[in-house]
């Protein structure tokens, strides 16, 4: 099963009646401020807040949401996934967490790790 098959829960990651992901809701879930979320996505803080940049923001937030959705499916919910994302070191990455790797632009490595865990390779 590919990561694209994961259903993204709009109640957790989006605003009501809005087709885009919500930076505010994702920041709340991760318990980070908007400046930290901006650093995690590589976008400017003002871009996260601007309605005109919604597609760009969605593109930047989507990999984080995919990670949280995958981890949430394995951990039981998005809140546990957020705790894992920020605090659990990933084996083989010198004590770095998913948060650290995403901030370094290595989202693909986190997704590959989660796929491997789900497949039973690291279990």
């Amino acid at each position: 099963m590919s990561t694209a098959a994961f259903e993204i829960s709009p109640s957790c990651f989006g605003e009501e009646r809005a087709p885009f992901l919500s930076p505010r809701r994702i920041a709340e879930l991760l318990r980070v401020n908007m400046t930290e979320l901006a650093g995690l996505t590589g976008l400017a803080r003002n871009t996260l807040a601007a309605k005109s940049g919604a597609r760009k923001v969605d593109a930047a937030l989507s990999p984080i949401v995919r990670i949280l959705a995958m981890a949430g499916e394995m951990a039981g919910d998005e809140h546990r996934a957020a705790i894992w994302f920020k605090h659990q070191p990933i084996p083989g990455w010198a004590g770095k967490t998913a948060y650290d790797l995403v901030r370094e632009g290595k989202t693909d490595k986190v997704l590959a790790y989660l796929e491997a865990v789900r497949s039973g390779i690291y279990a």
Side-chain angles (χ1 to χ4, degrees):
M1 183 178 198
S2 74
T3 57
F6 281 92
E7 196 63 36
I8 295 172
S9 167
S11 63
C12 192
F13 302 115
E15 295 289 346
E16 243 181 77
R17 298 187 191 112
F20 298 106
L21 297 171
S22 168
R24 181 188 56 80
R25 293 198 68 179
I26 295 168
E28 287 172 0
L29 177 66
L30 292 175
R31 294 193 170 138
V32 298
N33 61 40
M34 292 301 279
T35 301
E36 289 174 288
L37 185 61
L40 192 60
T41 62
L43 296 176
R45 186 184 185 288
N46 291 341
T47 303
L48 286 179
K51 298 286 184 203
S52 62
R55 290 188 196 284
K56 184 176 185 177
V57 171
D58 250 19
L61 291 174
S62 288
I64 296 167
V65 169
R66 279 198 309 274
I67 290 168
L68 291 171
M70 280 183 80
E73 182 179 271
M74 290 186 267
D77 66 41
E78 287 88 3
H79 297 287
R80 288 182 183 167
I83 292 167
W84 169 84
F85 183 83
K86 286 183 67 182
H87 301 290
Q88 183 65 44
I90 295 179
W93 286 97
K96 292 184 179 181
T97 64
Y99 182 95
D100 298 327
L101 293 173
V102 169
R103 193 176 55 220
E104 293 174 6
K106 296 178 180 157
T107 304
D108 57 330
K109 303 298 183 191
V110 178
L111 289 167
Y113 169 76
L114 289 171
E115 268 302 328
V117 169
R118 192 175 63 185
S119 298
I121 294 172
Y122 292 110

